[in-house]
Amino acid sequence: MENNTTSSEWDQLMRASVAAPEPPESFLADLDGRLRAQQRKRALRAGFQRRVFAAALGSTLTLALLLVAVAGPERVIAAVRNALGFIPGIGFVSADAPVRVLAEPVRVEREGIAITLTRVTAESTGTNVSFTVEGLPVPDGAPSAGEGICPGVSAIAWPGGGLFSSTGGGGGPLGGSFTWNESFPSIPPTEMEATLIIPCIPMTVAGDYPANWEIPFRLVPTDAPALFATVEPTATVSPPPSATATDTKEAFPGISIGVERISELEDGYLLIGILEWDEKQYAMADASGSEFTLTDRDGRILPVENIGSVPEEPAAPNSAFWSLRVSGKNLRGPVTIRLDSLFVFLRDPLTFSFDTGENPRAGQEWEIGKSFSVSGHPLTVLRAEYILENSMPGLSVSVQTPPEILHVVVGSNNPPEAGGGPGESFESGIYRWRVFLQSPPSGRVELFIQQMTIQGEWTTTWDPPQD
């Protein structure tokens, strides 16, 4: 195996690369309140991401990590909103400075494994990179406890000695081939050549595969992005007064959607919408991976693509952006936008516990039978089974869920959890989730449910411009 850089040398390199001068005290004071609110949001997302990460290791479940940036004070947010642009095939970019992109894909092969750099977007607010990994064997389970996993932290270097490390990343599914995405600080605008440095293949056991990959690449200018215009907010369509409590339109009250900005593209429109929730019921909600349905005034379904998360945080702490690309022009409005499901993080977790005894064995089960109500919908934790997967201890928890709750995530406070997943749904309405533990269970186990995917019908309207 090739490995010319020691771990300590690499650590020193990374620490040096992220060093930065201290900002003025006045700026820090101005940012403090907003940073605290946005950090709470990211902490909630990170908890969900850690559980999905372990699921990917255990069963090649698709890993979708959100890369979120720290939002500044309101005046900074307003400036970012005015400067946000979109380039088809590239995504959201800053419109206040030139954007550079990868000139051509670059492929490097070593010992039967190939890494291909497929995307680089360098702008004033940061640099986003995507690469694919091919030729890895498909894992037969989660890594054994104690094995070192490559965290997937790369670096970018350019001529003259400049270098910095990534600020976040993720990808999947793992095994065989997968795509990995990472974000970095902004490459200096004068630099058109650089090298991506990958110390180890992300999410693999350190030492099993070639290390210290170097992929040189070139950047070229791209076309100017399409800009966004702010639109008047549209009221959320409410269910009729006669709707019953079980009607999916009001199955989970306190959640609403609206359209905030629009950008006209050559072949359609890009919409940025906002999702808002009652902060007394939910700590977070997210529709970046949800399915939207758009219909015009004649009832015709319009072609639409969910672009995903927006590289910006709304001003309100109990809100999040979503974005859609709508194909076609001269649309017959008003257009109805419908969201059928979304991910939520409950403000108050559903907690339950049981006693495993001193020396439980794999395959042993415990009946729990504890019921909860989520916005009037019954949810019952039925039982738990002790499992071992490649020496990693865990619990498989069965939950009876109503049709309005599509997916739940079970976490563990005692013993501390090491991740979780995947989940399984059954026709009987039982949902099963595996939570992995940092140590084998013994005595009283304390679990909780706080994250779930819910089903409803949230709608708003949008009036497309007419020629």
Side-chain angles (χ1 to χ4, degrees), residues 44 125 136 181 365 432 467:
L44 296 177
T125 57
L136 291 176
N181 306 297
E365 290 190 356
R432 186 179 297 159
D467 292 339

Coordinates of all heavy atoms in Angstrom, one line a residue, residues 44 125 136 181 365 432 467:
L44 N -29.5 19.2 15.1 CA -30.6 18.3 14.9 C -30.4 17.5 13.6 O -30.5 16.3 13.6 CB -31.9 19.1 14.8 CG -32.3 19.8 16.1 CD1 -33.6 20.6 15.9 CD2 -32.5 18.8 17.3
T125 N -18.3 32.2 -2.5 CA -18.7 31.7 -1.2 C -18.1 30.4 -0.8 O -18.4 29.9 0.3 CB -20.2 31.7 -1.2 OG1 -20.7 30.8 -2.2 CG2 -20.8 33.0 -1.3
L136 N -14.6 -0.9 -5.7 CA -14.6 -1.4 -4.3 C -15.5 -2.7 -4.2 O -16.5 -2.7 -4.8 CB -15.1 -0.4 -3.3 CG -14.2 0.8 -3.1 CD1 -14.9 1.8 -2.2 CD2 -12.8 0.4 -2.6
N181 N -19.5 13.8 -2.1 CA -19.5 15.3 -2.3 C -18.9 15.9 -1.1 O -19.1 15.5 0.0 CB -21.0 15.7 -2.4 CG -21.8 15.0 -3.5 OD1 -21.4 15.1 -4.7 ND2 -22.8 14.3 -3.1
E365 N -35.5 -11.4 23.1 CA -36.5 -10.4 22.8 C -37.1 -9.9 24.1 O -37.2 -10.7 25.1 CB -37.6 -10.9 21.9 CG -37.1 -11.1 20.5 CD -38.3 -11.4 19.5 OE1 -39.5 -11.5 20.0 OE2 -38.1 -11.5 18.3
R432 N -39.7 -1.5 11.6 CA -38.6 -2.0 12.4 C -37.4 -1.2 12.1 O -37.0 -1.0 10.9 CB -38.4 -3.5 12.0 CG -37.3 -4.2 12.9 CD -37.2 -5.7 12.5 NE -38.4 -6.4 12.7 CZ -38.7 -7.5 12.2 NH1 -37.9 -8.1 11.3 NH2 -39.9 -8.1 12.4
D467 N -46.8 35.8 -20.8 CA -46.3 36.6 -21.8 C -47.3 37.7 -22.3 O -48.5 37.4 -22.2 CB -45.9 35.8 -23.0 CG -44.7 34.9 -22.7 OD1 -43.9 35.2 -21.7 OD2 -44.5 33.9 -23.4

